[in-house]
Amino acid sequence: MIVVTGATGGLGGATVEHLLKRVPADQIGVSVRDTAKAQHFADRGVRVRQGSYEEPVALRDSFAGAEQVLLVSGNDPAADMVGLHRDAIEAAVAAGARRILYTSQQGAVPDNPYRPSGIHIATEAILGDSGADWTALRNGAYGPLDQVLGPWQRTGVIAQPEDGPVPYTDRADIAEATAVLLAGDRSFDGPVTLTAPTAVTFDDFARIASDLTGRTVKRIVLDDERWIADRVTTGVPEQMARFMLTWYQAARAGYFAEADPLLAELLGREPRSAADRLAAHIAA
C-alpha cells in the first residue's frame, strides 16, 4: 500500500494519476481533508480516507497498512508547519510505514533566506530521527510562470526584483518522478534534488520570450522596497510581500542555482525546460 497525502491538490493528485499507471488501484490510498473531493479516485478503486495533519488520530487511520507514505508539505505561513509535519511523521511511523517520502525544497540548507527553508530543514531532521527510512524530495521551483514573471505579455516588461539562476521545473515532471520512486524498486535515503535541466534568470526569460513572440520583451530590475510598495498597492499585505521577497533574495544569493540530472534519469527523458514551459504558456 502506498498512501499519498494532499491528493486533492495539484502535486498530490498528479502523483496519484501517475501511480495508477504503474500499480493496481487497490495498492494506492489517499489521505485527504474532504473525501468527497477524492471521489474520482474512489470510483477507480483507490482507498480514500479522511485525514489531515491537524488530526493525528484520523491521520493514523488513513495511513493504516501503508508500506510507503508520501507527505506533501504544508504551505500555510501562519501555521506551525514543523509541528504539523512532526505529527504526520509520527502517524506514519505508528502505522508501520517502511519509508516516508516528503516534498521538501531545493536549497533547503542553513542560512537560505527563503523562509520556508527553515521548515523543510527542521522536518528533514525529524525524519532523520524517526526511525523510518526516508527520502526528502528537494523539488525545484514549480510555480506557474505567470506568477513568477508577472504580466509581461500585457506590458512587454518583466519587472521584478533582482534575481539569480533558478531551474524552474514543471510540476507535472515532479509528480511523475515521485510516482516512479514510489512504484519502483529504486530508493534514495535522505535528500535528493529534482529540477529542470537548466537554471535561468529573468534576463534569460526576457530573451526567450522575445524570440517566441517576435517582439522585444525587456527585463527591468525593481528596487526591493519599490517592489513591495507595488505589491501593497495591488492589495497584497506587506507582511506577505516581504515573505515573497525572501525568495528573490535566495535566488540572487545562488541558493537555487544548481540544476540536477536526477529528474531526467528518473523520467527516462529530458524534463520540460523553462523555454518549453514558456512556449506552452504563450500558446495557452
Side-chain angles (χ1 to χ4, degrees):
M1 177 67 69
I2 299 168
V3 174
V4 176
T5 68
T8 55
L11 181 62
T15 300
V16 174
E17 291 291 348
H18 283 289
L19 281 172
L20 283 165
K21 300 173 185 177
R22 291 168 170 79
V23 298
D26 62 3
Q27 294 178 18
I28 304 170
V30 298
S31 175
V32 295
R33 289 179 184 276
D34 185 349
T35 57
K37 292 182 178 179
Q39 186 61 43
H40 61 294
F41 288 137
D43 292 342
R44 294 154 74 185
V46 173
R47 189 184 82 181
V48 175
R49 292 187 178 177
Q50 194 279 330
S52 71
Y53 293 172
E54 293 86 357
E55 302 172 280
V57 175
L59 204 58
R60 230 173 274 128
D61 177 66
S62 70
F63 291 165
E67 184 175 346
Q68 296 184 88
V69 172
L70 173 65
L71 297 181
V72 177
S73 54
N75 59 4
D76 182 354
D80 174 17
M81 289 315 313
V82 175
L84 293 175
H85 289 164
R86 182 189 300 276
D87 290 344
I89 291 165
E90 290 177 350
V93 171
R98 175 181 58 81
R99 178 173 293 275
I100 301 170
L101 283 79
Y102 167 74
T103 60
S104 186
Q105 161 216 304
Q106 183 187 16
V109 296
D111 300 323
N112 186 332
Y114 184 46
R115 292 180 188 170
S117 299
I119 295 171
H120 295 304
I121 292 168
T123 301
E124 290 181 11
I126 295 167
L127 285 164
D129 293 336
S130 69
D133 293 334
W134 62 281
T135 307
L137 307 173
R138 291 184 174 177
N139 297 326
Y142 55 71
L145 291 182
D146 56 342
Q147 293 181 10
V148 173
L149 302 177
W152 67 270
Q153 286 178 285
R154 176 172 56 82
T155 64
V157 172
I158 298 174
Q160 301 285 19
E162 180 185 352
D163 69 325
V166 177
Y168 295 95
T169 307
D170 185 9
R171 185 178 68 186
D173 285 341
I174 294 288
E176 183 177 348
T178 302
V180 168
L181 285 172
L182 286 165
D185 297 327
R186 189 177 181 187
S187 61
F188 296 86
D189 293 320
V192 296
T193 301
L194 302 178
T195 72
T198 307
V200 296
T201 65
F202 288 156
D203 285 334
D204 296 322
F205 269 121
R207 287 193 292 271
I208 295 167
S210 297
D211 291 342
L212 289 171
T213 61
R215 65 189 179 102
T216 300
V217 177
K218 297 180 179 179
R219 159 69 166 131
I220 295 178
V221 179
L222 296 181
D223 173 79
D224 287 354
E225 292 303 317
R226 176 188 167 184
W227 181 82
I228 287 175
D230 288 347
R231 300 283 80 67
V232 171
T233 299
T234 63
V236 177
E238 182 176 348
Q239 184 177 5
M240 177 58 68
R242 293 197 178 278
F243 172 86
M244 294 161 60
L245 181 64
T246 65
W247 187 86
Y248 295 98
Q249 293 169 334
R252 75 180 65 147
Y255 283 96
F256 308 133
E258 187 174 348
D260 193 286
L262 180 59
L263 180 58
E265 184 181 336
L266 292 173
L267 295 175
R269 58 173 173 80
E270 277 297 289
R272 287 213 301 172
S273 67
D276 295 333
R277 293 180 65 206
L278 194 60
H281 176 71
I282 292 170

